[in-house]
Amino acid sequence: MNHQLERLGGAIEFLIALIAIFTVWSQVGGQEHLDLLEWYWKLGLSAGLAFAVVRATLGERPLTWIGISLLFVIVIGSITYHHHLYRELPEEEEPEALTSSEPVPELLKVARRAGAPGSRRGATVSLHSKAAAADVRPAAPRPGRNTGHRRAPLQGR
C-alpha cells in the first residue's frame, strides 16, 4: 500500500479511536466521573490508547500493541474508579417549590386554554412544577359523584 495513504488512514483511525474512547469512557465510567478527572489524565490516556490501537492495526507486532492497549484500558479504569471512591460529586440543588398566588380554578382555565391533556372538571394541578399549568392530572373519582355508581342505601334507618 502507498505510504501516504497508510499515514492518512492511520490519522483517520486515530481520530475515530479518540471519539470511540471518550464515548465508551463516559458510558462505562460515568460522565460525572469523567468530568471530575483532570484534563492531563484524559488527554494523555486517551491519546495513548488511540495511538496504541492504530499501531496494533498497522501490522508490526500487533500483539505487543494490543497488550499496551489493554494496559491503557486498565489504567483508565483504575483512575476512574479512584475518582469514584475519593472525589465527591457536586451536589445538585433541588429546584425550589413554585408557589402560585392564583387559585387553582384560574390555573385550570389556563390549562384548558393551553389544551393540556386531562384539563377537565375535577382535575388537580401540581403547584410544585415549573410549568404548573401544563401539569394537570385527573383527580381520583369519589364514589357517588359523577362516576355512575350509586351508593347502597343505609340499612336499619
Side-chain angles (χ1 to χ4, degrees):
M1 180 195 272
N2 189 357
H3 185 66
Q4 290 177 343
L5 286 176
E6 188 175 306
R7 289 182 64 186
L8 177 64
I12 292 172
E13 183 182 3
F14 181 82
L15 295 175
I16 292 172
L18 278 178
I19 293 169
I21 289 165
F22 279 115
T23 302
V24 171
W25 196 351
S26 68
Q27 293 293 319
V28 174
Q31 185 65 44
E32 298 87 15
H33 302 299
L34 184 61
D35 290 342
L36 289 176
L37 216 58
E38 290 83 9
W39 67 269
Y40 48 85
W41 285 113
K42 291 186 271 192
L43 176 66
L45 292 173
S46 61
L49 179 57
F51 179 76
V53 167
V54 170
R55 289 299 303 245
T57 59
L58 287 182
E60 272 189 45
R61 299 185 305 205
L63 292 178
T64 303
W65 286 105
I66 289 173
I68 292 172
S69 299
L70 288 176
L71 278 174
F72 271 108
V73 169
I74 290 169
V75 170
I76 286 172
S78 300
I79 289 178
T80 305
Y81 186 63
H82 173 78
H83 277 71
H84 171 73
L85 291 179
Y86 298 110
R87 301 269 315 251
E88 291 187 25
L89 294 174
E91 294 182 21
E92 294 183 23
E93 298 176 10
E94 292 185 23
E96 296 179 17
L98 219 150
T99 58
S100 174
S101 60
E102 296 182 41
V104 174
E106 291 298 318
L107 290 174
L108 288 174
K109 287 179 186 175
V110 171
R112 283 190 191 113
R113 276 186 262 141
S119 57
R120 61 181 183 275
R121 186 175 179 176
T124 58
V125 177
S126 169
L127 296 177
H128 297 286
S129 67
K130 290 187 179 183
D135 187 19
V136 179
R137 297 180 300 239
R142 291 185 227 158
R145 285 195 126 167
N146 298 330
T147 59
H149 298 289
R150 293 185 178 228
R151 291 185 184 184
L154 295 173
Q155 300 293 329
R157 281 200 179 179

